[in-house]
Every structure is written in structure tokens, then in C-alpha cells.
Amino acid sequence: MNGTLLRNEPMSKHTSWHAGGPADLYFTPADAADLGEFLRELPPEVPTLWIGLGSNLLVRDGGVRGAVIATHGALNALERIGERRIHAEAGVPCAASRASASSGPWAR
């Protein structure tokens, strides 16, 4: 794996509220292939929590059991496909998707 895997990572570092206990595992993939490798190696019984920017995310002091997968800054490809379609990976902020969509031919 080429991404970053942290153990007992304080979620307070990753939320807009700056609150929250540790995640058992905190993974930021390098790319989609890296994410696939991580998920294949993760035992199926391990719970997963997917997060983006951490906006409006409140994590309890007891933290998160299982694996947190952070997509922001990792899965950030955004491209227009034709005149009316956009491909956005999971880490693209909503504002960026909106800005891309609003510049299309359907924007008024």
C-alpha cells in the first residue's frame, strides 16, 4: 500500500468540530488502486466509516472502532464527460462538483 495507515489516530484532527476520540485505523489511500488493495486486505468483519472533509462530523470521545477511510485529498479526480456528465471521485468536495456542473451547458 502506498497510502497512509495510522493506528489510534485522534479523530479530533480530522473534523471541523475538532472533537473525537481515536479511530482504530485511519487510512488515506494514495489512489483508487491503493484503496482497493486496502479493502481486500481488511478483514470483512472490520467496520468501516468513510469520511470526506470532516465537515459536520461529530465523533464521540470513545472514538471509532474499525477503519476510517478518508477520501479527501486522495480520491479527488473531477472531469467532465461530454456536455452533461461529470465524473467525481469520492474525495471531491461538493463545492467543486457544483462549480464544475454550473459551468456546463445546462447552467443558466
Side-chain angles (χ1 to χ4, degrees):
M1 283 183 297
N2 296 314
T4 303
L5 179 60
L6 304 170
R7 295 182 187 282
N8 297 313
E9 175 68 0
M11 288 301 294
S12 59
K13 294 181 177 182
H14 307 284
T15 68
S16 60
W17 292 91
H18 302 291
D24 293 339
L25 300 172
Y26 187 91
F27 181 64
T28 304
D31 53 29
D34 194 41
L35 174 60
E37 182 181 342
F38 174 75
L39 291 172
R40 281 188 297 278
E41 292 179 13
L42 190 67
E45 66 274 5
V46 175
T48 56
L49 172 67
W50 297 75
I51 66 168
L53 289 169
S55 301
N56 300 314
L57 175 63
L58 187 58
V59 178
R60 65 188 185 96
D61 290 341
V64 179
R65 302 292 65 88
V68 173
I69 299 171
T71 60
H72 176 67
L75 302 175
N76 56 4
L78 176 63
E79 66 177 308
R80 297 191 65 86
I81 301 172
E83 290 186 13
R84 297 192 174 266
R85 293 181 64 197
I86 295 172
H87 172 85
E89 289 186 341
V92 175
C94 293
S97 297
R98 179 188 46 79
S100 181
S102 66
S103 66
W106 55 84
R108 297 184 193 248

